[in-house]
Amino acid sequence: MMKKKYFLNANIIDPQNSIDELGGMIVNEEGKIEAVGKKVNSNNIPSREKYIDLKGKYIIPGIVDMRVFVGEPGFEYKENFRTLSEAALSGGVTSVVTMPNTNPIIDNVSIVDFLKRRGRDKSKINIFPTASLTKSLEGTNMTEFGLLQKKGIIGFTDGYKTIQNTRLMSRIMRSAYDLNCLVMQHVEDEELSKDGMVNDGIISTKLGLQGISELAEKIIIERDLTLLEDFNCRYHISQISTEKSLDVIKNRKDLINFTCGVSINNLSLNENDIGDFRTFLKLSPPLRTEEDRLALIKGINNDLIDVIVSDHKPEDEEQKRLTFAQASTGASGIETLLSLALELYHNESIKLNKIIKALTCNPAKILKINKGNLTIGNNADFCILDINKPWIVKKENLISKSKNTSIEGRKLQGKVTNTFVKGEELFKI
Amino acid sequence: MANHNKAIKISKKHLLGIQDLSISDVNFILSEAKQFINLNKSKNKKLDILRGKTQINLFFEPSTRTQSSFELAGKRLGADVMSMNLNNSAIKKGETLVDTAMTLNAMHPDIIVVRHQDSGASNLLSQKVNCAVLNAGDGRREHPTQALLDALTIIDRKKKIEGLKIAICGDIVHSRVARSNIYLLNMLGAEVNIIAPSNLMPKDIQKLGVNSFSDMKKGVKDCDIVMMLRLQNERMTSSFLSSNREYYEYYGLTPDKLNFAKEDALIMHPGPMNRGIEIDTKLADDINKSVIKEQVELGVAVRMACLKIFCE
C-alpha cells in the first residue's frame, strides 16, 4: 500500500467538475482521489505529513488520447505496449484508445484476450482497444460488434480506412444502434483521394504530388450524417481537416447527435510546413491550408469539434527515408500532444480550459469511460504541468520507439513534469 | 571557345529545379550554353573541360533523348560517363533510392544526373551524396534542363523572351516540363498561357502567375510560341479523357487552331510526340514553324553548360 499524497498550491483544472482554481489534492493509500480543490490547503493536512508544494504549477486530469496506433501485435519494431506507455506517460497521457490496424487485425474475439493481456502486463497506462468495423479491414463484412464489446472493446473503427460502401455503412449504423456501440469513422472518399499525398492546391501543384481534395472528406461526412438521420447510433468522426467539413458539421449539429475530433497536427501545422518534401509531414488527413487550420481552431472554440487527438502513428525511419510517394503516412505524437496543444493557449488561440476539456473529459464522455476527470473517489490519473517550461522537440530525446515526429526542432512552451496513474508516480522529469 | 576570365559562381550546389535558381543563375547557364552551340556543329566536338571527372547517369525511368543528350554532353566535355538504367530493377531487389545513392557515392562521382518517377527524388538524393546532382526529371515536379533548352531555343529564334506570349498546352497535371517552363518563362518576363482540359489542369495553377484556359483557341490567341506536351498515358491511373480522337479534336495542334496564334508563331514539343494525338503530323515537320529538332540540338549545349557549371 502506498503512502497518502498531499499536493498544495496548484492551479487545478478539471473541466468535467468545473474546477478551475488554486487549491490542493489528496490522493489516498489506494491511489484514489480523496479531496480536490480550493478547500484543500495546509490547514486540513496533518502537521506531521509532508506535502508537495506545486506553486505555479498545474494539476490536470490524465489525458485521454482517442487515436493511437500501436505496433503490437505485428509491428513491434515500430512501437510496443511498453514503449507506448512510457511515451504516453512522459506526455501526461494516461488513457489511450488503440487502433485495430495491427497484424493480425483486431477483428475477432480471440485476439482481444491477447491484446488485453499484453496491454495490462506491458503498459502502465489504461489501454482501451478498438476493433475493426469490418473483417480484415476489407470494408465488406461487419465484425461481431456485440461479442467484441462484451469482451471489452471500446469502439469500432477501420482506423485509417473508411467504409466506402454506403449500404454497408447504413447496416453498420443499424447494428451499432441496436448494440449501443461507438462507431468511429476516418472520413475520406478513397476513390476521390486515390494516390493522394498532400492537400490538393498550390502546394500539390508546385511539388508535383497528387493532391487530396477537401471534398473527399466532406462527401463522407455528408453521407454518414445523412445515414445517421435514419439510425442515430453513437457516431464519431475521427478527424476533420477542412473548413468545408466544419460547415457541414455546423449545419447538422442541432439535428443529429454525433461527435468529432481533430488531430493536433492539423491544428498546429499547415501544408506549407511540408517544405522540401518532408516525409514526416505526410499525414492522413493531409495538412491543409492556413485558412483551414484557423477554421479548425474556431471549431474547437465554438464546440463544433469535441476532441483533440495525437493521431500517434509510429513509423520507423526506413519507412520515411524514401521519396514522398513511397514514404509511409503518419507521425509520432503522443508525447508532444499536450505541449503542442499548449502552444494554442500561449498564442491565445484557445482558452486553456477548452484545450484540457478536448483532451480529457470530452473523449471520456464519448467513450463512456470514467476517465479524464479528478472526481473524488476515482483513480488518481493525473499529471503535473509546468505550463511555461520551454523545451525543444528533438527526435533523439523522444521516448517512443519511432522518432517520426512532425515537429522536429519546434520550440514549445509547457511540459508535463510528473504523471500519476492510480496515484502512483510513473513519470518524473 | 571564349575564355572566361571571371569566375561567376552559381548560387546552388545542385540543379534540382528552376524554382531554386535566380535570374542571374539562369542567364549564366544560358550564356555558357550559347558557347557550345557552334562547337556542337563543328568537326571536332571534343573538349577536355571535364577530363578526369566522373559523371553517373542514374535513370529510374526510361528515357531516350534526355539520357543520350546528357551522355553525349558529358563525353564531349571529356568526362567519364557511366549510364545506369535502373528501371525499377534495384527497387525490385528491395534497394531504396537512398541506398542506391550511398552505393554510388562511395564510388566518388563528381556529378550524378538523375531521373526518377517520384517527385522530389532528386532532392532526396542530393541530401545523401557529396557530389552535385542534376535533376533530369523527377515525377511531375521539375525538368530544369528541358526548360533551359526551351528557353535557349526561343532566344535563338526570337532573340528574346521578355514580352513574348507563350502557350503551353496539353497534359499539364502530369508534366514536369510544364512546371519548369512556367517558372523559367515567368522569370524571364514572358506571359504564359496554360491550356488543358480541366481533368489535366492542376489545382490553383493560376497562383504560379499564369493564365489558364480550357478552350485552346482562346489560349493560343496571339501567342508567339505554342508549346505542345505529350499525353503521359503511363501516369494516368484512371480515366482522364474519353478518347484520343476527341482529345485531338479539342486539344491537338492543328492548322485551324494554330491560326489563332501569331502568324510567325513557333511550335515546340519536348518529345516524344504522339503524332495525330497532340499534334498534326505535318505541322510537327513544318520546318518554317516547328523548332522541335532544334530543341533536341540545343539540348546537348544546355546540358554541357550545366555539367560544366555544376561540376566545378
Side-chain angles (χ1 to χ4, degrees):
Chain A
M1 187 159 290
M2 56 185 138
K3 277 185 72 179
K4 225 168 176 174
K5 295 186 183 74
Y6 302 88
F7 303 92
L8 293 182
N9 303 322
N11 298 291
I12 299 179
I13 300 183
D14 175 14
Q16 182 168 321
N17 294 302
S18 306
I19 300 173
D20 191 345
E21 62 203 24
L22 211 60
M25 189 162 91
I26 303 172
V27 176
N28 71 15
E29 294 90 339
E30 286 157 359
K32 297 198 187 298
I33 297 170
E34 191 174 288
V36 65
K38 58 189 168 198
K39 288 174 193 156
V40 181
N41 55 47
S42 53
N43 295 331
N44 49 30
I45 62 168
S47 54
R48 61 191 155 75
E49 291 285 353
K50 272 190 201 162
Y51 64 87
I52 299 157
D53 188 351
L54 294 178
K55 195 164 184 286
K57 289 193 176 176
Y58 284 76
I59 288 180
I60 62 169
I63 289 165
V64 181
D65 190 345
M66 263 184 91
R67 191 172 169 86
V68 170
F69 292 87
V70 60
E72 196 166 345
F75 307 101
E76 287 82 358
Y77 61 96
K78 295 181 183 176
E79 190 94 281
N80 58 38
F81 278 113
R82 188 184 58 76
T83 56
L84 174 73
S85 155
E86 297 295 327
L89 286 166
S90 78
V93 178
T94 56
S95 300
V96 298
V97 174
T98 56
M99 295 293 112
N101 312 63
T102 49
N103 184 17
I105 292 157
I106 314 304
D107 65 354
N108 66 78
V109 173
S110 61
I111 187 108
V112 179
D113 281 332
F114 162 81
L115 197 65
K116 284 174 70 183
R117 205 166 51 241
R118 292 293 292 179
R120 191 185 58 226
D121 295 349
K122 297 291 169 188
S123 86
K124 298 167 184 161
I125 55 170
N126 308 297
I127 306 277
F128 295 100
T130 61
S132 61
L133 284 164
T134 61
K135 286 177 187 142
S136 311
L137 297 169
E138 277 171 354
T140 42
N141 296 306
M142 272 184 265
T143 54
E144 299 163 314
F145 298 166
L147 298 180
L148 285 160
Q149 184 161 257
K150 273 191 179 163
K151 277 279 180 187
I153 290 294
I154 191 94
F156 297 85
T157 175
D158 273 0
Y160 49 74
K161 291 182 82 179
T162 308
I163 305 296
Q164 300 296 314
N165 182 322
T166 309
R167 184 167 69 173
L168 177 67
M169 193 60 211
S170 93
R171 288 183 178 163
I172 284 172
M173 286 179 177
R174 284 159 200 246
S175 285
Y177 176 83
D178 292 345
L179 301 165
N180 194 22
C181 295
L182 174 66
V183 173
M184 297 186 274
Q185 177 90 291
H186 170 75
V187 282
E188 180 177 349
D189 185 310
E190 289 168 3
E191 273 300 322
L192 194 53
S193 69
K194 201 170 181 178
D195 301 325
M197 297 171 241
V198 295
N199 181 43
D200 195 24
I202 184 65
I203 297 295
S204 66
T205 295
K206 267 189 175 172
L207 294 177
L209 298 173
Q210 178 74 40
I212 299 174
S213 165
E214 55 192 353
L215 299 180
E217 187 171 293
K218 185 181 169 182
I219 284 168
I220 296 294
I221 295 176
E222 287 198 314
R223 182 199 71 176
D224 282 4
L225 296 185
T226 303
L227 291 171
L228 268 187
E229 288 171 10
D230 226 13
F231 276 89
N232 203 165
C233 69
R234 292 166 62 204
Y235 175 84
H236 177 72
I237 300 167
S238 291
Q239 308 173 83
I240 61 163
S241 64
T242 73
E243 188 171 13
K244 277 208 166 85
S245 300
L246 271 169
D247 292 341
V248 179
I249 287 165
K250 197 175 175 183
N251 289 333
R252 306 287 189 99
K253 197 80 185 177
D254 297 334
L255 307 171
I256 20 176
N257 292 319
F258 64 96
T259 52
C260 169
V262 66
S263 158
I264 188 64
N265 293 314
N266 291 95
L267 283 176
S268 308
L269 299 159
N270 67 33
E271 57 178 352
N272 296 312
D273 290 303
I274 293 163
D276 194 10
F277 298 94
R278 292 177 59 198
T279 54
F280 284 26
L281 284 92
K282 183 178 178 186
L283 305 171
S284 173
L287 297 174
R288 303 282 187 181
T289 65
E290 178 63 4
E291 288 74 39
D292 286 316
R293 190 185 76 85
L294 294 173
L296 293 173
I297 287 172
K298 217 170 143 191
I300 299 253
N301 282 326
N302 50 28
D303 296 323
L304 293 174
I305 298 174
D306 305 278
V307 174
I308 303 173
V309 297
S310 70
D311 192 25
H312 179 69
K313 194 161 175 289
E315 293 291 345
D316 68 326
E317 208 154 338
E318 294 309 314
Q319 296 305 312
K320 288 288 189 183
R321 282 170 71 226
L322 297 168
T323 60
F324 207 89
Q326 292 165 349
S328 56
T329 304
S332 164
I334 197 164
E335 52 199 294
T336 51
L337 169 62
L338 176 61
S339 295
L340 192 52
L342 287 174
E343 191 179 76
L344 300 165
Y345 154 71
H346 288 296
N347 65 24
E348 295 176 2
S349 300
I350 308 177
K351 291 241 159 41
L352 184 59
N353 202 289
K354 205 120 209 178
I355 292 172
I356 304 300
K357 201 174 166 185
L359 290 170
T360 58
C361 64
N362 275 1
K365 246 180 260 173
I366 293 166
L367 297 162
K368 295 194 173 174
I369 54 174
N370 188 11
K371 296 285 173 196
N373 60 55
L374 301 174
T375 307
I376 291 168
N378 269 1
N379 284 339
D381 294 355
F382 67 99
C383 53
I384 298 170
L385 170 66
D386 183 345
I387 206 159
N388 292 315
K389 188 182 172 68
W391 64 291
I392 298 172
V393 180
K394 287 195 182 125
K395 61 179 179 183
E396 60 267 27
N397 296 339
L398 292 180
I399 291 166
S400 169
K401 208 166 189 179
S402 294
K403 312 297 180 192
N404 56 316
T405 171
S406 58
I407 49 166
E408 171 72 7
R410 190 126 159 174
K411 293 186 179 97
L412 296 178
Q413 200 182 348
K415 179 91 187 72
V416 166
T417 56
N418 313 71
T419 307
F420 297 76
V421 177
K422 294 191 188 106
E424 196 183 340
E425 185 177 55
L426 296 176
F427 169 79
K428 188 180 168 190
I429 257 187
Chain B
M1 275 297 301
N3 277 325
H4 290 284
N5 297 325
K6 38 179 189 173
I8 308 167
K9 281 224 165 159
I10 198 100
S11 69
K12 296 282 164 191
K13 187 186 173 192
H14 309 284
L15 179 59
L16 304 177
I18 301 292
Q19 284 181 81
D20 309 328
L21 299 180
S22 68
I23 192 156
S24 61
D25 291 336
V26 168
N27 287 330
F28 179 43
I29 295 171
L30 292 176
S31 72
E32 282 284 317
K34 280 178 197 159
Q35 318 284 338
F36 293 118
I37 297 176
N38 286 331
L39 175 87
N40 285 335
K41 288 178 184 158
S42 66
K43 272 190 177 166
N44 185 3
K45 302 180 182 68
K46 186 103 172 171
L47 296 176
D48 61 358
I49 297 173
L50 296 185
R51 190 169 60 192
K53 305 267 188 192
T54 305
Q55 171 192 341
I56 297 180
N57 295 337
L58 192 58
F59 278 65
F60 290 90
E61 237 184 14
S63 156
T64 320
R65 61 195 68 211
T66 305
Q67 189 176 349
S68 51
S69 182
F70 266 112
E71 192 165 334
L72 207 54
K75 284 178 174 164
R76 284 188 183 165
L77 292 173
D80 296 318
V81 185
M82 179 174 84
S83 288
M84 296 175 68
N85 288 307
L86 293 164
N87 298 340
N88 294 328
S89 71
I91 293 166
K92 275 178 195 145
K93 287 181 197 160
E95 190 171 63
T96 66
L97 176 64
V98 171
D99 287 333
T100 309
M102 304 288 210
T103 308
L104 293 176
N105 196 44
M107 299 175 190
H108 303 293
D110 299 282
I111 200 155
I112 294 178
V113 177
V114 62
R115 165 166 292 190
H116 197 283
Q117 61 278 8
D118 288 344
S119 301
S122 54
N123 300 54
L124 181 64
L125 187 74
S126 73
Q127 291 159 15
K128 306 292 172 189
V129 297
N130 301 323
C131 67
V133 172
L134 293 194
N135 181 8
D138 63 324
R140 317 167 170 191
R141 183 175 155 269
E142 281 240 35
H143 191 355
T145 56
Q146 178 69 42
L148 288 161
L149 76 87
D150 289 338
L152 191 64
T153 308
I154 296 169
I155 292 168
D156 197 49
R157 294 293 282 259
K158 295 280 183 189
K159 306 301 166 207
K160 60 166 188 178
I161 285 182
E162 195 171 359
L164 293 186
K165 206 168 164 182
I166 299 174
I168 305 177
C169 176
D171 184 358
I172 308 292
V173 75
H174 296 111
S175 176
R176 51 195 172 217
V177 176
R179 284 173 178 77
S180 286
N181 263 310
I182 288 170
Y183 298 128
L184 187 58
L185 297 171
N186 260 342
M187 194 195 291
L188 297 175
E191 184 184 347
V192 181
N193 285 358
I194 299 297
I195 305 161
S198 294
N199 276 326
L200 296 176
M201 188 74 92
K203 199 172 177 195
D204 294 341
I205 187 91
Q206 304 86 345
K207 289 186 183 166
L208 295 180
V210 297
N211 313 309
S212 69
F213 298 86
S214 59
D215 181 334
M216 185 166 178
K217 287 170 183 169
K218 285 181 186 160
V220 298
K221 192 166 184 299
D222 299 329
C223 280
D224 300 278
I225 308 280
V226 180
M227 190 184 290
M228 300 303 296
L229 299 176
R230 185 175 64 87
L231 273 184
Q232 303 204 28
N233 290 309
E234 74 276 16
R235 289 186 211 278
M236 296 190 192
T237 47
S238 56
S239 174
F240 283 81
L241 301 166
S242 53
S243 70
N244 286 341
R245 69 175 181 188
E246 186 176 274
Y247 180 79
Y248 183 65
E249 178 71 23
Y250 289 90
Y251 296 98
L253 187 62
T254 49
D256 65 308
K257 292 187 200 104
L258 188 61
N259 275 341
F260 284 83
K262 280 197 185 142
E263 214 179 314
D264 60 348
L266 297 176
I267 301 166
M268 301 178 79
H269 194 300
M273 274 183 282
N274 297 311
R275 288 169 187 265
I277 297 175
E278 298 126 22
I279 189 163
D280 175 84
T281 190
K282 277 183 198 150
L283 278 183
D285 297 330
D286 183 339
I287 50 164
N288 294 317
K289 292 195 164 78
S290 165
V291 292
I292 295 169
K293 282 181 196 140
E294 199 174 336
Q295 285 174 276
V296 178
E297 186 188 334
L298 299 192
V300 180
V302 160
R303 282 161 187 136
M304 287 169 82
C306 291
L307 288 170
K308 180 185 171 214
I309 291 166
F310 286 92
C311 240
E312 276 169 354

